[in-house]
């Protein structure tokens, strides 16, 4: 809302958020200043399969941090990409009957599409098969070889092709010869290989970790890594001769570079190491973000590669927890992977992103379930935030003609809410900087709850009724300001909803960049602004329908609301009598079931094709617990044919079956077969 007050952008307002050092780039009336840089990366993903919700978790978190940092005045560089070499990929390609390049190309397309669906704003997407990467990997390998930190030797050991890693003799014995992660026998391999002198650098690495407590986070992972390094580092085998799908070692071409050595360097090859402008500008990385299982590679091998190159180390390696399912870790072989594209289509982008950010304390493991997702959407987005906006705007419309009134003097409770809202940006900034993403979202929603409590206590609808116009004006103004602050802060967390809030508040079609600088200012919304109440931001989801495809009995709403704001307090109502005309609006017909089958991927849903005389149509119904598809074909049932169509699991369901239920039983209402399909029931 800086625009309302005229020109609060630029250095003065940016200085207000306490970020800037006068030095470099931005021109402003002769003073120029550099934005601080922020370079963050995701792991580069294996394009061996379509990615699942676990991969989306890392990327959504990274994207959220970037959005926050951009708004907060940083010059952000966000790198993601794909890790395409290695034996595993070569084998996958062979299985698919494709060349490795064709195979990875086909999967990379789906990964980029996924990031588009999730609206990920990455600055670069590096593929390890690109020339720009391959050339620099060769250069890096050769440089370290020439320095003497890579040397050639013979190696024999127990190898897992899926891990692309060797196991020691002791591990082999302890594990009964099988890889614990991939449940496959370890293979005995003997190779002439190049080795990288990890051992030479282990003391230096320990000192670095000790001096830089933020280098490996969270704390628990740091401790794990320290003990791992202290237990002694062996030199690492960094070349392979048993397959060819990798970066060749130029000076000894039967070797290809070990895929992890190749992959880790992506963080600098993408920036044009050693002399690219981006490299000079953004390196060292501020955060390498990843799942906890690959922290070891990033906090041991990667820093040692950089030490060998005499380059600075990343500032932080952060290992977040896993999203696990009740049935265990997500894996293609278990067939329990959750497809983020499907979830976005069903629940919307904001809801899925919000859930990922909020549900699991960042850094810990968390169980994913669709039930939890729906519960989160309903509790936080529909009930708390959506309802706050909706009921506030309803009061505006009913009591001030939709115009933001001028406030009177603020009382104690007004001041308390104002203080809380004005302190929010600082609080969230601190949490985001510590990567406490879930806590940052929770802190924001605390203000949402406080505002809901405020509206309950102040009961503006009563103030309107009692003609207390000045007090009503103050309460409405406080709410408008708090909602402005919330919409602004929520931009990185609700990438679509925040803008919608802004426009419903009548503040403009999209949130201007200047709004950020107004986060710690009060009195920004101009009295006289016309609010524009629109559709609810986050409609409540019918849990039963979403999860089993059967709608819940609709909640009954009071005929006489207790307050002038109907949304304010839904009340339970006695069953009401309806008129014969109302009943006649329901078009009931006999219908003959001509085909029936289970809806794929569901347990309870059947897709029926029914003949209703004039046409055949599809109906999806949650009756698979009571009827097998075969037993239904040929039955004549009763169907409501003028029910609004609904898309359920990709099928357009047009109509509803009538059934009687009692206790745990369900029986379809049927008719004699001598009544032709389509006969009207009255
Ligand atoms: N290619 C390597 C990384 C090389 S980085 C130089 C790799 N790729 S991966 O495709 O397997 O992706 C692993 C990353 O995906 C994890 O580190 C994590 O960020 C994310 N996740 C994959 N499954 C996950 C969960 N179930 N839960 C949370 N994150 C998960 O490893």
């Amino acid at each position: 809302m800086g625009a309302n007050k005229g020109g609060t952008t630029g250095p003065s307002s940016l200085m207000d958020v306490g970020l800037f050092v006068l030095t470099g780039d931005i021109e402003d009336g002769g003073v120029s200043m550099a934005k601080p840089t922020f370079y963050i990366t995701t792991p580069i993903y294996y394009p061996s399969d379509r990615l699942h919700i676990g991969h989306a978790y890392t990327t959504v978190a990274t994207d959220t941090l970037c959005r926050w940092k951009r708004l907060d005045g940083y010059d952000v560089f966000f790198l993601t990409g794909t890790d395409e070499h290695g034996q595993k990929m070569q084998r996958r390609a062979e299985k698919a009957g494709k060349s490795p390049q064709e195979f990875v190309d086909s999967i990379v397309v789906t990964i980029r599409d996924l990031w588009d669906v999730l609206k990920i704003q990455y600055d670069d997407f590096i593929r390890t098969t690109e020339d720009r990467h391959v050339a620099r990997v060769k250069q890096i390998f050769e440089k370290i070889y020439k320095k003497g930190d890579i040397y050639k030797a013979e190696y024999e050991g127990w190898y897992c092709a899926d891990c692309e890693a060797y196991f020691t003799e002791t591990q082999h014995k302890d594990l009964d010869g099988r890889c614990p992660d991939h449940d496959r026998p370890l293979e005995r391999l003997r190779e002439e290989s190049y080795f990288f002198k990890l051992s030479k650098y282990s003391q230096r690495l320990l000192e670095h970790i000790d001096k830089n407590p933020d280098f490996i986070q969270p704390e628990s992972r740091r401790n794990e890594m320290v003990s791992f390094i202290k237990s002694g580092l062996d030199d690492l085998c960094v070349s392979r001769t048993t397959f060819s799908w990798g970066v060749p070692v130029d000076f000894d071409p039967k070797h290809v570079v070990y895929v992890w050595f190749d992959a880790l360097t992506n963080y600098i090859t993408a920036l044009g190491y050693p002399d690219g402008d981006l490299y000079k500008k953004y390196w060292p990385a501020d955060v390498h973000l990843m799942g906890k299982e690959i922290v070891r590679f990033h906090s041991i091998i990667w820093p040692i590669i950089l030490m060998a190159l005499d380059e600075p180390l990343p500032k932080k390696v952060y290992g977040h927890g896993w999203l696990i399912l009740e049935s265990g870790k997500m894996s293609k072989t278990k067939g329990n992977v959750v497809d983020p594209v499907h979830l976005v289509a069903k629940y919307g982008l904001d809801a899925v992103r919000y859930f990922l950010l909020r549900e699991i304390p960042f850094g810990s493991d968390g169980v994913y379930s669709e039930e939890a997702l729906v519960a989160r959407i309903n509790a936080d987005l529909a009930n708390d935030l959506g309802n706050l906006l909706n009921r506030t705007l309803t009061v505006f419309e009913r009591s001030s003609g939709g115009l933001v009134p001028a406030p009177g003097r603020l009382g104690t409770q007004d001041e308390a809410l104002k203080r809380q809202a004005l302190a929010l940006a600082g609080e969230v900034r601190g949490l985001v900087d510590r990567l406490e993403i879930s806590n940052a979202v929770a802190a924001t929603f605390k203000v949402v709850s406080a505002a809901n409590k405020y509206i309950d206590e102040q009961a503006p609808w009563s103030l309107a009724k009692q003609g207390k116009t000045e007090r009503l004006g103050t309460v409405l103004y406080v709410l408008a300001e708090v909602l402005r602050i919330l919409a602004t802060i929520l931009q990185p967390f609700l990438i679509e909803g925040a803008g919608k809030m802004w426009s419903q508040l009548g503040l403009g079609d999209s949130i201007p960049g200047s709004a950020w600088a107004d986060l710690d200012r009060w009195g920004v919304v101009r009295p006289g602004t016309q609010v524009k109440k629109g559709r609810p931001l986050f409609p409540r989801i019918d849990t039963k329908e979403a999860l089993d495809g059967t709608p819940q009995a609709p909640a009954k709403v009071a005929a006489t609301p207790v307050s002038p704001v109907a949304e304010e307090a839904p009340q339970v109502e006695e069953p009401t009598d309806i008129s014969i005309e109302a009943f006649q609006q329901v078009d009931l017909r006999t219908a003959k079931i001509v085909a029936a089958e289970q809806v794929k991927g569901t347990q309870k849903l059947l897709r029926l094709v029914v003949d209703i005389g004039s046409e055949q149509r599809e109906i999806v119904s949650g009756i698979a617990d009571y009827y097998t598809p075969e037993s239904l074909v040929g039955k004549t049932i009763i169907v409501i044919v003028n029910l609004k169509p609904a898309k359920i699991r990709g099928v357009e369901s047009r109509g509803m079956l009538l059934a009687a239920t009692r206790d745990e039983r369900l029986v379809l209402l049927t008719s004699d077969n001598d009544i032709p399909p389509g006969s009207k029931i009255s």
Side-chain angles (χ1 to χ4, degrees):
M1 272 308 293
N4 275 351
K5 305 187 292 126
T8 54
T9 50
S12 58
S13 56
L14 294 170
M15 296 279 273
D16 282 343
V17 294
L19 278 175
F20 284 79
V21 194
L22 278 175
T23 47
D25 283 331
I26 310 169
E27 287 300 326
D28 184 84
V31 185
S32 68
M33 23 199 274
K35 283 185 173 192
T37 58
F38 184 74
Y39 176 34
I40 185 166
T41 65
T42 69
I44 47 171
Y45 300 98
Y46 290 127
S48 46
D49 249 313
R50 295 173 72 89
L51 299 190
H52 57 63
I53 192 81
H55 305 106
Y57 180 62
T58 313
T59 306
V60 165
T62 310
D63 185 59
T64 305
L65 293 170
C66 286
R67 284 171 186 263
W68 175 277
K69 286 291 190 182
R70 279 191 209 105
L71 286 162
D72 219 21
Y74 285 78
D75 177 342
V76 171
F77 197 86
F78 170 3
L79 177 69
T80 190
T82 39
D83 182 358
E84 308 187 3
H85 289 129
Q87 187 168 29
K88 188 164 64 177
M89 215 61 74
Q90 187 173 321
R91 287 186 177 166
R92 290 301 303 262
E94 277 161 17
K95 234 178 167 176
K98 292 185 178 172
S99 74
Q101 191 65 54
E102 274 170 353
F103 176 74
V104 294
D105 285 352
S106 69
I107 307 278
V108 169
V109 173
T110 69
I111 296 178
R112 282 182 181 273
D113 284 350
L114 173 61
W115 300 153
D116 286 348
V117 167
L118 294 171
K119 298 221 168 114
I120 305 298
Q121 296 178 330
Y122 52 82
D123 293 289
D124 196 359
F125 188 106
I126 178 110
R127 300 183 54 181
T128 55
T129 50
E130 286 174 290
D131 290 345
R132 61 170 174 154
H133 175 77
V134 171
R136 291 183 180 117
V137 172
K138 290 180 175 178
Q139 209 181 328
I140 290 168
F141 196 90
E142 196 163 336
K143 183 168 177 187
I144 300 180
Y145 174 72
K146 283 195 175 139
K147 189 176 175 180
D149 285 343
I150 287 179
Y151 61 93
K152 200 169 179 179
E154 179 114 312
Y155 189 79
E156 187 170 349
W158 296 102
Y159 188 71
C160 168
D162 283 335
C163 296
E164 318 239 8
Y166 279 101
F167 287 72
T168 61
E169 205 60 56
T170 332
Q171 285 171 323
H172 178 261
K173 211 179 270 163
D174 292 347
L175 297 167
D176 281 339
R178 294 188 81 78
C179 168
D181 289 337
H182 299 98
D183 196 30
R184 55 179 291 160
L186 299 171
E187 301 163 57
R188 187 76 183 162
L189 278 191
R190 187 191 168 91
E191 293 183 275
E192 184 187 65
S193 299
Y194 285 90
F195 285 82
F196 180 38
K197 288 188 183 164
L198 290 190
S199 50
K200 170 177 163 189
Y201 290 93
S202 67
Q203 198 47 40
R204 214 172 118 190
L205 180 59
L206 279 172
E207 280 160 24
H208 182 84
I209 298 172
D210 190 47
K211 278 201 207 108
N212 298 276
D214 271 353
F215 176 57
I216 306 171
Q217 282 292 321
E219 188 77 18
S220 55
R221 313 246 188 277
R222 177 169 177 259
N223 298 339
E224 267 170 47
M225 290 308 118
V226 169
S227 13
F228 188 84
I229 301 165
K230 282 190 176 158
S231 73
L233 295 181
D234 291 333
D235 287 352
L236 179 73
C237 174
V238 286
S239 76
R240 301 286 187 269
T241 50
T242 46
F243 60 90
S244 58
W245 181 238
V247 177
V249 174
D250 271 349
F251 55 87
D252 195 351
K254 69 178 196 302
H255 292 261
V256 291
V257 174
Y258 170 48
V259 66
W260 269 101
F261 188 101
D262 160 3
L264 287 163
T265 61
N266 89 88
Y267 303 125
I268 59 174
T269 63
L271 298 181
Y273 165 85
D275 49 12
D277 288 342
L278 293 175
Y279 186 67
K280 289 184 201 145
K281 183 168 181 188
Y282 291 107
W283 190 258
D286 291 86
V287 187
H288 290 314
L289 199 64
M290 70 206 67
K292 61 183 184 182
E293 81 290 1
I294 57 172
V295 167
R296 190 152 58 94
F297 297 89
H298 285 78
S299 57
I300 299 175
I301 304 175
W302 178 224
I304 293 181
I305 294 176
L306 289 163
M307 284 177 186
L309 290 171
D310 289 319
E311 295 295 328
L313 307 195
K315 293 181 203 154
K316 187 180 298 203
V317 170
Y318 190 98
H320 64 65
W322 282 339
L323 226 61
I324 22 194
L325 301 176
E326 273 148 12
S327 52
K329 201 174 174 220
M330 244 173 275
S331 86
K332 201 79 186 175
T333 23
K334 277 195 192 161
N336 62 355
V337 289
V338 177
D339 177 6
V341 176
H342 166 75
L343 287 184
V344 169
K346 191 165 172 190
Y347 297 107
L349 178 58
D350 265 352
V352 174
R353 288 181 58 125
Y354 177 84
F355 171 79
L356 292 175
L357 299 172
R358 174 66 185 90
E359 185 72 7
I360 301 157
F362 207 61
S364 313
D365 289 347
V367 176
Y368 165 85
S369 74
E370 201 165 330
E371 285 84 342
L373 168 66
V374 172
R376 242 324 142 196
I377 299 172
N378 281 344
D380 295 10
L381 299 182
N383 284 3
D384 280 359
L385 181 65
N387 206 22
L388 171 66
L389 179 72
N390 206 44
R391 67 206 292 229
T392 304
L393 297 181
T394 303
V395 190
F396 268 102
E397 285 190 342
R398 298 204 183 157
S399 56
S400 70
L403 297 180
V404 175
R409 261 185 61 124
L410 302 197
T412 324
Q413 278 168 338
D414 311 325
E415 287 289 358
L417 184 59
K418 169 181 162 182
R419 228 178 300 121
Q420 208 179 336
L422 288 177
L424 185 59
E427 188 185 352
V428 175
R429 179 174 298 117
L431 292 165
V432 169
D433 284 346
R434 293 197 298 280
L435 270 63
E436 293 185 33
I437 303 179
S438 170
N439 291 340
V441 180
T444 311
F445 272 73
K446 243 189 183 163
V447 177
V448 173
S449 301
N452 269 320
K453 187 159 173 258
Y454 175 84
I455 196 169
D456 286 340
E457 287 170 358
Q458 302 305 319
W461 44 88
S462 308
L463 298 172
K465 228 188 206 162
Q466 295 158 21
K468 294 186 175 162
T469 323
E470 188 182 334
R471 181 67 200 140
L472 174 66
T474 307
V475 170
L476 292 186
Y477 191 81
V478 168
L479 285 167
E481 277 287 274
V482 171
L483 282 165
R484 163 191 64 89
I485 290 172
L486 283 171
T488 309
I489 292 199
L490 281 169
Q491 292 175 86
F493 307 115
L494 294 173
I495 62 175
E496 293 174 338
K500 288 184 194 155
M501 275 177 83
W502 189 264
S503 95
Q504 293 204 17
L505 286 165
L507 301 176
D509 293 339
S510 58
I511 310 183
S514 55
W516 201 256
D518 288 334
L519 276 175
D520 49 5
R521 301 208 169 105
W522 191 257
V524 175
V525 175
R526 220 180 359 202
T529 302
Q530 172 81 52
V531 305
K532 285 198 267 178
K533 184 169 169 228
R535 300 221 319 257
L537 281 190
F538 299 102
R540 217 188 135 71
I541 292 168
D542 181 327
T543 312
K544 220 164 156 330
E545 186 171 12
L547 301 175
D548 331 330
T550 50
Q552 231 156 12
K556 307 217 164 157
V557 177
T560 330
V562 289
S563 85
V565 184
E567 293 81 349
E568 204 272 304
Q571 297 293 305
V572 176
E573 187 203 344
E574 291 300 310
T576 26
D577 299 325
I578 61 162
S579 65
I580 182 86
E581 288 78 10
F583 173 68
Q584 277 168 349
Q585 285 184 359
V586 182
D587 194 354
L588 289 168
R589 305 272 171 163
T590 55
K592 189 162 186 162
I593 302 177
V594 294
E597 63 166 4
Q598 186 105 18
V599 177
K600 276 198 198 85
T602 72
Q603 295 200 332
K604 305 199 180 226
L605 297 183
L606 293 186
R607 183 184 75 92
L608 308 179
V609 179
V610 299
D611 179 357
I612 58 161
S614 52
E615 62 172 296
Q616 288 196 353
R617 47 166 79 176
E618 291 177 298
I619 296 180
V620 175
S621 182
I623 54 172
D625 281 347
Y626 310 97
Y627 291 94
T628 60
E630 307 72 57
S631 68
L632 288 169
V633 177
K635 275 193 195 315
T636 297
I637 55 168
I638 318 290
V639 169
I640 304 176
V641 292
N642 63 338
L643 199 72
K644 240 190 174 158
K647 199 135 196 173
I648 303 172
R649 299 282 178 150
V651 180
E652 179 160 90
S653 177
R654 296 170 55 221
M656 189 170 156
L657 324 180
L658 294 195
T661 51
R662 186 81 188 236
D663 303 325
E664 299 299 315
R665 270 164 33 90
L666 176 144
V667 178
L668 282 178
L669 299 191
T670 51
S671 153
D672 274 343
N673 272 343
D674 36 355
I675 302 271
S679 308
K680 191 158 173 59
I681 294 167
S682 50

